[in-house]
Amino acid sequence: REQTQPQIPSQPSIPDLTFGDEGVYTTALSEDELQAAMQRMPTLAGFTVTGSQKALLRDDDSMVMVYISGEQSTDADYFFVRAQIEYNENYIFSRKLYYENLANETMIGNTQVSYGLMGTDDYGFNEYYILSESDSATIYWTVSSVSGEIDEWLQMTFAE
């Protein structure tokens, strides 16, 4: 005789709204878009923008992420900075996992900051991955430091 499994009422399926690099394309950022994106970032004293792009969702051309690269100098150090400003949290970019479970966490001003030394960049400088989360933006940073230290940059960038 046949055994029948009890019927479990089906749960409404929750659509997976995440997408990866294949769902986006990158293009140039206009000067106005660059200025708007910079408004969401902490003020970077002595920062020179060397490049900027935006990632747009293929489905509807909505902004997903803005990339801003630059260089920043202080009396004591020189930094190479890449900021990825999140506009759509469903975008699972290829390096997003590297920003989970970073070794150090701290609160600087109103910004939750997680960071960790990830090795060295192409020039042999210490490269840090930094995730900053504030009311204005979630930003995924890659910062290389000529001196090898990151504390000065963190305080200078996130302290109110």
Side-chain angles (χ1 to χ4, degrees):
R1 105 181 215 197
E2 268 183 51
Q3 291 260 340
T4 58
Q5 293 293 323
Q7 290 298 312
I8 299 170
S10 67
Q11 293 289 319
S13 67
I14 299 168
D16 180 8
L17 300 175
T18 61
F19 54 92
D21 293 333
E22 72 287 343
V24 303
Y25 67 97
T26 56
T27 186
L29 203 58
S30 73
E31 190 59 36
D32 288 346
E33 289 170 326
L34 175 60
Q35 293 309 316
M38 297 283 287
Q39 293 298 314
R40 298 184 66 204
M41 295 171 61
T43 302
L44 298 176
F47 183 74
T48 303
V49 174
T50 57
S52 62
Q53 283 191 310
K54 61 185 172 186
L56 302 178
L57 187 60
R58 290 188 190 282
D59 292 347
D60 62 7
D61 291 333
S62 62
M63 185 118 55
V64 172
M65 189 166 274
V66 167
Y67 308 99
I68 298 175
S69 301
E71 299 172 0
Q72 190 173 11
S73 61
T74 66
D75 292 340
D77 210 343
Y78 197 85
F79 303 96
F80 299 94
V81 178
R82 177 175 165 90
Q84 299 177 182
I85 305 167
E86 182 178 83
Y87 282 79
N88 184 329
E89 64 188 23
N90 293 321
Y91 178 32
I92 311 297
F93 59 95
S94 58
R95 292 193 166 272
K96 192 169 190 173
L97 289 175
Y98 290 110
Y99 290 90
E100 294 180 5
N101 305 310
L102 290 167
N104 306 285
E105 287 191 16
T106 187
M107 193 77 180
I108 304 174
N110 294 322
T111 304
Q112 177 66 43
V113 179
S114 304
Y115 63 99
L117 175 62
M118 299 307 283
T120 56
D121 65 13
D122 295 342
Y123 303 102
F125 301 126
N126 282 359
E127 184 174 72
Y128 294 86
Y129 280 20
I130 302 157
L131 172 61
S132 66
E133 298 172 280
S134 66
D135 291 340
S136 61
T138 296
I139 305 177
Y140 300 87
W141 306 83
T142 306
V143 179
S144 296
S145 165
V146 172
S147 76
E149 297 300 317
I150 198 65
D151 294 341
E152 178 191 20
W153 187 87
L154 292 172
Q155 289 302 321
M156 181 176 69
T157 302
F158 300 111
E160 297 293 310

